[in-house]
Amino acid sequence: MILSMVTTLAMSVVAASTPLLIAASGELVAEKSGVLNLGVEGMMLVGAIAGFATAHHSGSAMLGVGVAALAGIGIAMIFAMLSLSFLANQVATGLALTIFGHGFAALLGAGYVGISAPVLHPIAIPLLSAIPVLGPVLFDENILVYFAFIMLAVIAWFLNKTHAGLILRAVGDSHDAAHAMGYPVLRIRYAAVAFGGAMAGIAGAYFSLFYSPLWSQDLTAGRGWIALALVVFSAWRPLWLLVGAYLFGGITFFSLYVQGLGISVPSPLVSALPYVGTVLVLVLISRDARRIRLNQPACLGKYFHATA
Amino acid sequence: MAPGLNRSVAEDAPLLALRGIVKQFPGTLANDHVDLTIGQGEIHALLGENGAGKSTLVKIIYGVMKPDAGSLRWRGQEVAINSPAQARALGIGMVFQHFSLFEALTVSENIALGLNDPKDRENLEGRIAEISSRYGLPLGPHKAVHDLSVGERQRIEIVRCLLQNPKLLIMDEPTSVLTPQEVQALFATLRRLRAEGCSILYISHKLEEIRSLCEAATIMRLGKVVAQCDPREKTARELAELMISAKLKTQDYSQKHSAQGPERLVVSKLTIRSNQQFGTDLKEISFAVKGGEIFGIAGIAGNGQSELMDALSGEIPAGAPGNILLDGAPVGLERPRARRRRGGCFLPEERNGHGAVGGMSLAENGFLSAHIRGALGRFGLINRRRTQEFAAKVISTFDVRTTGPLAEARSLSGGNLQKFLVGREVLQQPGVLVISQPTWGVDAGAAAAIYEALVALAQAGTAIVLISQDLDEILLLCDRIAVIAAGRLSEAMDVKDATIERIGLLMGGTQTGREEEHVVPA
């Protein structure tokens, strides 16, 4: 009985953490290249509706995930074009992208409200899924949970061990030096932003095809912002992204649990708990300003214009 | 392939020949039919004032810019160099003036970024070690760049170039921030490269260096080549006159001003913890400067100069008010604005981002520092007319080449911006002026103008603290000097008793002390 409770608890933590992890790992790569894309929430919403609509009409949730990634890339390219090619302010453009994403997703989704779509089913990994507690939590999940872990490992490896990753970090650290050495700064940043868009789109699809598979407006409920905060909180280190995402997931579950117990706390306050809690922890951990400064890509958010 | 093996190829053709290079920028003709010929195994000097078009020319050679007209011949073959990667593939390496290094990355990562061919990156650390020992360029491959001194950073760039066996090495102002001993070591490296058949294009405004190192020189002024000569046959004075085309006044600056009256700036037992991640803490720094006196602080970059600058200007508060006395008033805990009100003016080393805001106009940059002493605003409002007049006065007094007070600071070349910033402080008629690296990257003509302004200010009774890594400059201007190393300041000595060797030893002898401190984990 207790064992099954623990399992349920842990599964819901994983469920709440996964989309954050996916969106945040994409944003991490974009930021490492020196681009601050505040439009994560908007890209997630567009990904969510694109995935939902595709899955609804085709009957295939996996196809939905793929289309969501493409939609994320598409909308990220709007951002990249404005901020990288036309040198618009990245912060303002990112905010605009989120507002645009909200509206665009609501417009596309108007006809789908209340309709359901095929969902992503758990894929049990033979043997491993039979382990008590750990099995169902980690090895009997939908494909995006595995995807989140694998991508995190791939990103950590890519950034720290490969030459291409080194170039990406170099562009984020000093775009002028990278340009002087002949690296195509803008092309690299376009690619990083596209990757961030794809990941945000997939994170959005996770909401509409698994987490709450019934279309409603504002399905992502501000998770894009939390993903952005996590990147800073982790000081741009993939492993800490994992810690942060699961911290948020944990507090989310805890707040649901508190509501379930019927403790007389105003429910808006309880709903706000994961956000408040994550921000608090973020602030506490970010007090070490030196580490943040050291890890932060030095060119983050600065526009690059090749004078030569 | 060792550089020496290529000597037989096209023996009679020069290594690189530029003919009629033209490059037009909006408003200026940066290169006007420039010819340049570099022979095999030759150290060739490229001389010129800021804005003479040297950097543009070098960028064209290195493939960063494309010329509007003209031809490049590489070992007799006409080539078009469209990218740095292509330049490197031909065998052209470049060490930049403002180092093109990535602060957050390690030495070997930085070097790997300069290598196009994956084959070059195999066994990278072993090859770094080999080049390091062969050319006397010690480097620790796992150190992060932000932890390194300027001299070490330069070594990274040189090693990065040498790993590709260049046939032509371009060096842009390489000795500006090195100790005399480091300069000698660098020259030994360059002469060794020449002996192996590598040509070097050496850009500098230090004429004595050019005379001792180079066997050919091309002198540029306002985008044109004005002379080609053998610098060994000319005096430094003749070279300088060719470069700025006006007879230089020989100045003995130190005779023109002398200490007078009471001490205007007194620093006693100033001890400060650095606010930088890898900064240097200041330890019990004491000195005093009288009006009319120029007090020089020599030292290698990163030994506490920037912390001292910040402490004197008020960006970092001192431990107690009495640590710093400005005209007798204890100002140790006062903010920069309060110190400015008392007659202090300060100009930090970093022009862009610290001394000036690149995205603001010259007038606005003038206001930022001079609004109190120049009375450029009232009741929190900016007096636009006075602010623009102030900037215009700086521009005309200091011959700043720009389109006017409304030009963006970042649109100015380094030397011009520096002239503007020095002028901005000098025209405020400060009682005490603290200035760091006033002529870093500035050509001889502009440097002379800055020197004259400082001397005139001292004559008028200002106490000046000059923090500089350029020993010639310190010996030329100062009455008394001290050396900062590992956050400690040596005893002040009269400039008559100071020799390059003695100062060099004070700077170098204590450098081990600094490295010991960095070993202790923070």
Side-chain angles (χ1 to χ4, degrees):
Chain A
M1 175 64 193
I2 287 182
L3 216 57
S4 74
M5 253 181 71
V6 171
T7 308
T8 323
L9 188 156
M11 283 183 78
S12 55
V13 171
V14 171
S17 310
T18 298
L20 288 174
L21 196 54
I22 296 174
S25 359
E27 178 67 11
L28 176 80
V29 171
E31 291 196 12
K32 268 291 177 190
S33 82
V35 185
L36 179 65
N37 185 354
L38 293 183
V40 178
E41 178 84 357
M43 299 189 296
M44 279 171 73
L45 279 165
V46 172
I49 185 60
F52 186 87
T54 307
H56 175 74
H57 291 296
S58 72
S60 160
M62 279 314 294
L63 190 65
V65 172
V67 171
L70 291 179
I73 293 176
I75 200 145
M77 284 302 98
I78 300 177
F79 170 84
M81 194 122 74
L82 290 172
S83 68
L84 299 179
S85 295
F86 300 137
L87 306 182
N89 180 299
Q90 289 181 12
V91 171
T93 312
L95 289 174
L97 193 72
T98 283
I99 296 167
F100 172 73
H102 262 284
F104 192 55
L107 178 72
L108 291 180
Y112 296 95
V113 177
I115 297 178
S116 67
V119 297
L120 292 164
H121 291 292
I123 302 170
I125 293 175
L127 296 181
L128 290 177
S129 59
I131 305 170
V133 186
L134 220 54
V137 173
L138 290 178
F139 302 109
D140 190 11
E141 293 282 4
N142 72 71
I143 190 164
L144 290 183
V145 173
Y146 304 133
F147 174 78
F149 284 111
I150 291 169
M151 284 313 284
L152 192 72
V154 168
I155 288 168
W157 170 80
F158 171 79
L159 287 176
N160 295 313
K161 300 284 178 207
T162 68
H163 191 66
L166 177 61
I167 293 172
L168 185 125
R169 282 187 289 141
V171 167
D173 190 45
S174 169
H175 47 217
D176 291 322
H179 176 70
M181 300 187 68
Y183 289 109
V185 173
L186 286 185
R187 231 183 302 156
I188 291 164
R189 287 192 169 161
Y190 263 96
V193 170
F195 179 77
M199 293 294 273
I202 292 171
Y206 179 91
F207 280 98
S208 60
L209 297 177
F210 177 78
Y211 198 58
S212 44
L214 200 69
W215 180 253
S216 65
Q217 231 180 315
D218 283 344
L219 195 66
T220 53
R223 299 301 211 290
W225 296 108
I226 295 292
L228 271 166
L230 284 179
V231 176
V232 180
F233 150 68
S234 71
W236 296 269
R237 292 167 302 179
L239 188 67
W240 281 90
L241 216 55
L242 187 69
V243 175
Y246 275 82
L247 178 79
F248 180 84
I251 305 177
T252 306
F253 175 77
F254 177 72
S255 66
L256 292 174
Y257 186 70
V258 167
Q259 277 173 318
L261 284 182
I263 299 169
S264 62
V265 181
S267 75
L269 204 68
V270 177
S271 315
L273 193 65
Y275 302 90
V276 175
T278 306
V279 167
L280 269 181
V281 172
L282 187 152
V283 169
L284 286 177
I285 291 181
S286 306
R287 279 188 317 170
D288 187 358
R290 284 182 168 197
R291 199 183 62 203
I292 298 268
R293 218 184 310 155
L294 193 66
N295 280 299
Q296 180 172 16
C299 286
L300 185 61
K302 293 184 188 162
Y303 64 84
F304 171 75
H305 177 58
T307 46
Chain B
M1 209 172 19
L5 294 181
N6 298 305
R7 282 190 118 174
S8 56
V9 184
E11 192 82 52
D12 46 341
L15 182 69
L16 178 71
L18 306 186
R19 291 289 171 266
I21 296 290
V22 176
K23 180 74 187 179
Q24 173 84 49
F25 287 130
T28 47
L29 192 54
N31 282 173
D32 185 0
H33 296 90
V34 171
D35 294 347
L36 174 72
T37 308
I38 301 170
Q40 312 246 4
E42 167 182 279
I43 304 187
H44 191 110
L46 185 57
L47 265 168
E49 288 193 284
N50 282 326
K54 291 171 303 184
S55 304
T56 305
L57 189 66
V58 162
K59 281 179 181 166
I60 288 171
I61 297 174
Y62 196 55
V64 181
M65 283 182 190
K66 281 186 198 117
D68 298 333
S71 70
L72 279 93
R73 282 178 174 274
W74 178 254
R75 311 169 109 201
Q77 297 285 315
E78 178 137 359
V79 289
I81 303 175
N82 295 316
S83 72
Q86 209 180 333
R88 289 196 289 266
L90 282 175
I92 301 175
M94 173 147 180
V95 176
F96 291 88
Q97 177 189 4
H98 298 288
F99 304 126
S100 64
L101 293 176
F102 304 94
E103 300 263 331
L105 307 181
T106 66
V107 170
S108 60
E109 283 177 331
N110 264 283
I111 291 176
L113 281 166
L115 304 176
N116 300 103
D117 189 344
K119 272 203 305 256
D120 285 343
R121 297 196 292 268
E122 284 165 19
N123 184 26
L124 185 58
E125 284 172 18
R127 295 180 54 222
I128 292 173
E130 185 207 317
I131 297 265
S132 292
S133 64
R134 190 158 130 216
Y135 295 100
L137 301 159
L139 273 181
H142 296 293
K143 281 192 175 174
V145 167
H146 55 68
D147 213 2
L148 301 183
S149 73
V150 182
E152 287 172 298
R153 288 170 186 229
Q154 187 180 57
R155 272 178 244 154
I156 300 177
E157 294 240 15
I158 298 174
V159 167
R160 180 157 71 184
C161 290
L162 294 186
L163 275 170
Q164 304 177 79
N165 300 317
K167 289 155 199 86
L168 173 65
L169 187 61
I170 304 171
M171 304 206 74
D172 194 357
E173 305 256 350
T175 60
S176 309
V177 289
L178 302 183
T179 66
Q181 286 85 352
E182 282 178 312
V183 169
Q184 288 314 314
L186 174 68
F187 283 8
T189 303
L190 296 184
R191 290 196 177 105
R192 163 137 203 194
L193 281 168
R194 170 172 61 188
E196 292 182 359
C198 178
S199 301
I200 294 160
L201 181 59
Y202 188 91
I203 302 166
S204 178
H205 62 271
K206 292 194 179 172
L207 306 167
E208 286 301 340
E209 276 179 5
I210 284 173
R211 291 184 60 242
S212 76
L213 187 69
C214 306
E215 56 254 12
T218 296
I219 302 173
M220 290 181 72
R221 175 161 24 101
L222 296 173
K224 289 192 179 116
V225 172
V226 290
Q228 279 167 329
C229 62
D230 183 339
R232 292 168 300 188
E233 293 168 359
K234 303 264 181 194
T235 65
R237 216 186 132 93
E238 285 168 332
L239 290 175
E241 279 167 4
L242 281 170
M243 200 165 90
I244 61 178
S245 84
K247 295 281 177 208
L248 274 182
K249 290 173 277 180
T250 327
Q251 292 280 6
D252 187 359
Y253 297 108
S254 57
Q255 297 304 312
K256 298 196 102 185
H257 55 93
S258 60
Q260 43 179 289
E263 287 165 343
R264 302 199 73 168
L265 176 69
V266 181
V267 176
S268 47
K269 302 218 161 181
L270 179 67
T271 299
I272 276 179
R273 262 185 62 96
S274 174
N275 58 357
Q276 310 281 314
Q277 170 109 31
F278 296 98
T280 308
D281 299 340
L282 300 182
K283 294 164 200 104
E284 304 216 325
I285 286 189
S286 300
F287 64 92
V289 192
K290 290 182 175 170
E293 196 178 22
I294 302 183
F295 183 77
I297 295 179
I300 308 159
N303 273 285
Q305 286 96 329
S306 62
E307 287 80 5
L308 181 60
M309 182 76 222
D310 288 351
L312 293 178
S313 70
E315 285 179 52
I316 313 177
N323 285 145
I324 301 172
L325 300 178
L326 198 66
D327 277 332
V331 299
L333 298 180
E334 283 186 2
R335 314 279 308 165
R337 274 170 60 100
R339 296 189 197 192
R340 283 185 178 275
R341 202 167 272 126
R342 291 184 190 277
C345 278
F346 314 96
L347 185 58
E349 168 183 5
E350 183 74 25
R351 294 193 268 266
N352 286 308
H354 198 174
V357 184
M360 285 191 178
S361 71
L362 293 180
E364 285 166 326
N365 271 296
F367 179 86
L368 286 177
S369 122
H371 68 284
I372 296 169
R373 296 187 62 77
L376 304 181
R378 223 153 50 120
F379 312 124
L381 298 174
I382 299 173
N383 185 331
R384 293 229 164 257
R385 192 176 54 79
R386 287 190 63 127
T387 301
Q388 290 198 18
E389 278 170 7
F390 177 77
K393 192 172 159 204
V394 175
I395 289 168
S396 64
T397 313
F398 287 85
D399 186 30
V400 180
R401 284 171 209 160
T402 172
T403 51
L406 297 181
E408 263 195 11
R410 73 164 137 248
S411 70
L412 271 65
S413 74
N416 268 317
L417 183 57
Q418 186 68 16
K419 279 199 280 186
F420 180 83
L421 296 178
V422 172
R424 175 183 80 180
E425 304 303 328
V426 166
L427 286 190
Q428 294 179 47
Q429 297 294 333
V432 172
L433 174 66
V434 184
I435 189 164
S436 183
Q437 292 285 97
T439 59
W440 157 237
V442 166
D443 62 74
I450 289 171
Y451 292 158
E452 273 172 34
L454 292 180
V455 169
L457 201 61
Q459 276 177 301
T462 302
I464 299 178
V465 178
L466 171 66
I467 303 172
S468 176
Q469 290 146 39
D470 185 340
L471 276 184
D472 297 338
E473 171 173 297
I474 285 202
L475 294 174
L476 184 69
L477 291 177
C478 298
D479 306 279
R480 287 187 304 131
I481 59 180
V483 177
I484 191 168
R488 289 180 200 279
L489 194 67
S490 74
E491 291 273 314
M493 58 188 124
D494 212 89
V495 75
K496 288 191 284 292
D497 307 327
T499 59
I500 290 252
E501 288 70 28
R502 188 173 161 198
I503 300 172
L505 285 175
L506 274 172
M507 295 182 347
T510 34
Q511 214 193 347
T512 46
R514 180 171 152 263
E515 274 164 13
E516 271 161 26
E517 264 164 45
H518 277 282
V519 174
V520 179

